[in-house]
Amino acid sequence: MGVINTTPDSFSDGGLFSTTDKAVEHAKKLIDEGADILDIGGESTRPGAAIVPIKEEISRTIPVIESIRKFSEIPVSIDTSKPEVMIAAAEAGADIINDVWALRRDGAMDAAASSGLLICLMHMQGSPESMQHNPQYGNVVDEVKRFLQGRIYDALIAGIPERNIIIDPGFGFGKTLDQNLQLLNFLSTFKTMGYSLLVGVSRKSMLGLILDKPVDQRLYGSVSAAVISAMSGADIIRVHDVTETKDAIAIVQAIKNTSNKN
Ligand code: 9MG
């Protein structure tokens, strides 16, 4: 899954792709590099990021989805928590709703259910404004799993079919470095829940803390974390650097195919 940020305050591209044309150009580049899914976001979810009004988020993201649909059938994911944006994205041809709030915002569950789209339910402790202020868990793996089980239950009750649900432990969303590492170390246990598993670690501060490197120097760390995720069973890996990650994942897939024969 290749990331396309249409936010001027995006943490990783410095606002480089804030206009529709630049975002669509970036989409073409990621498709050429071999992306299997594009994730389009109009509101940054990094800690402390500004809240974007509904109209503004729609005007950033929907023209990008409409343009992509004119030249590609690639599955498109809308990174949003707002029901109005979910509905507009579905009408524009999106395939997946990627909601870091896991449909906890007013109206989001109903909007997602009526859209018929796939839905990624992600764990987050707190909110993007406050989530990195001393996150606390007893057992982070157990608590994230329990949260996701609760969100799955609510989604099923709302009429979202089981096959449309994707889960995500939410790396960096209300977690310390140690808590993130525990989740990565025990990632395979999330596969036992029986849903497709999405992981996003690309360029995140957990890598910066380990490497002591700024965001533009986290490529090798990001690819390493993607490999670990794929080895642990991740089905979808959300990344900024598609070419490099695809190569690395091809090695993982080759190894998995070999071991399956024994
Ligand atoms: C939007 N976004 C930023 N990081 C993410 C992650 O780790 N997972 C998902 N699903 N979305 C993310």
Side-chain angles (χ1 to χ4, degrees), residues 19 23 40 42 50-51 57 59 71 75 94 111 113 129 131 136 145 154 156 161 170 216 221 224 232 253 259:
T19 67
I40 320 279
I51 289 169
E57 197 177 320
S59 73
F71 62 85
E129 301 87 65
M131 63 189 180
Q136 302 268 355
K145 269 177 108 168
D154 286 357
L156 295 174
D216 60 344
S224 305
S232 306
Q253 272 163 350
S259 56

Side-chain angles (χ1 to χ4, degrees), residues 83 86-87 103 105-116 157-160:
M86 293 174 188
I87 292 163
L103 305 179
R105 288 272 175 87
D106 280 353
M109 185 63 85
D110 287 344
S114 60
S115 76
I157 295 289
I160 296 175

